[in-house]
Amino acid sequence: MKSFFALAAAQVAASLALCATSMITSTNLAQAADLTFNWKGDAGYSADGSFSYDETTTPAIISESGAGSTKALQSLSVSFFNPSHELIGTKNEVVNGVSSNQFLNFNFNTTTGNLFGAFDLGTGTGIGDVFISNVEAPDGTFISPGATYYLYRNITADNAQLLDSSTNRIKASAVPEPTTVLGTLLVGMLGVALSSNRVAFFSRKPKKI
């Protein structure tokens, strides 16, 4: 009976290992780094976003500005929420390596994992568009990158309403690698499989003679 249990456990382990190998291989082919970022204003407004780039070709410093083909970013999106956490705007800044925002400013250090310098996302040309910037002052003038981030909504073609502001740093964090998540799941699945076999073995009633 013990040999049967050992054989079953070995078969389960082999199957899970094969599954993990397949996932790792497909993940390594992509070599894409996926990250998220968030910001919270003093009045309760917030911004959440995500971006990605190819780790094999991207330099240590990502610096993007304006519309057109990007230098490193493959994707970049941002969504804005009011103090009740209701969505008030969203923008796909970069899609397949192409920026649609002429006012885009985005700088990221891939070594330290920090955003720095000029930051301007979500800027649209339509009335009602929401955007966040640390280079456009409330009076509409453009300034050197500062520690204060301002959240605006376009009310006319030439004017924007200030919704919120804060010196809170915009934090970026890496999305867990699929292989890391898979590894945790595989360990859990293996444990369940082994436990199930133990329960099945020890709960059997002795045969009547």
Side-chain angles (χ1 to χ4, degrees):
M1 193 64 70
K2 289 184 179 180
S3 60
F4 170 77
F5 170 70
L7 178 60
Q11 290 175 337
V12 171
S15 298
L16 295 180
L18 185 60
C19 179
T21 301
S22 176
M23 178 63 78
I24 291 171
T25 300
S26 61
T27 301
N28 287 338
L29 290 175
Q31 292 296 319
D34 298 301
L35 296 95
T36 61
F37 61 89
N38 59 82
W39 172 84
K40 185 71 175 291
D42 292 337
Y45 286 81
S46 60
D48 293 322
S50 63
F51 61 100
S52 66
Y53 57 90
D54 188 337
E55 292 182 303
T56 61
T57 59
T58 297
I61 301 297
I62 294 177
S63 183
E64 306 283 7
S65 62
S69 297
T70 57
K71 301 172 185 176
L73 288 179
Q74 295 178 337
S75 67
L76 172 62
S77 63
V78 61
S79 295
F80 305 100
F81 303 87
N82 64 18
S84 298
H85 205 67
E86 298 169 331
L87 181 68
I88 59 174
T90 188
K91 173 86 172 179
N92 289 322
E93 300 281 280
V94 176
V95 178
N96 295 327
V98 178
S99 165
S100 59
N101 182 4
Q102 62 177 318
F103 300 106
L104 170 69
N105 271 299
F106 186 88
N107 297 277
F108 180 70
N109 187 320
T110 64
T111 302
T112 64
N114 293 326
L115 291 158
F116 68 95
F119 189 88
D120 198 315
L121 297 184
T123 306
T125 56
I127 296 175
D129 286 350
V130 182
F131 64 97
I132 184 172
S133 175
N134 69 346
V135 294
E136 184 171 346
D139 62 2
T141 59
F142 286 90
I143 57 178
S144 298
T148 301
Y149 294 85
Y150 301 98
L151 185 68
Y152 302 94
R153 174 188 281 132
N154 289 337
I155 54 177
T156 68
D158 301 314
N159 293 291
Q161 173 191 12
L162 178 63
L163 299 176
D164 204 347
S165 65
S166 175
T167 56
N168 291 330
R169 186 170 64 88
I170 296 181
K171 301 177 182 179
S173 56
V175 176
E177 291 286 345
T179 51
T180 301
V181 176
L182 178 64
T184 303
L185 291 175
L186 289 177
V187 171
M189 291 168 62
L190 180 58
V192 171
L194 294 177
S195 298
S196 298
N197 278 316
R198 288 194 185 97
V199 170
F201 174 73
F202 290 110
S203 63
R204 286 176 182 168
K205 296 180 180 180
K207 293 182 180 179
K208 293 182 179 180
I209 300 176

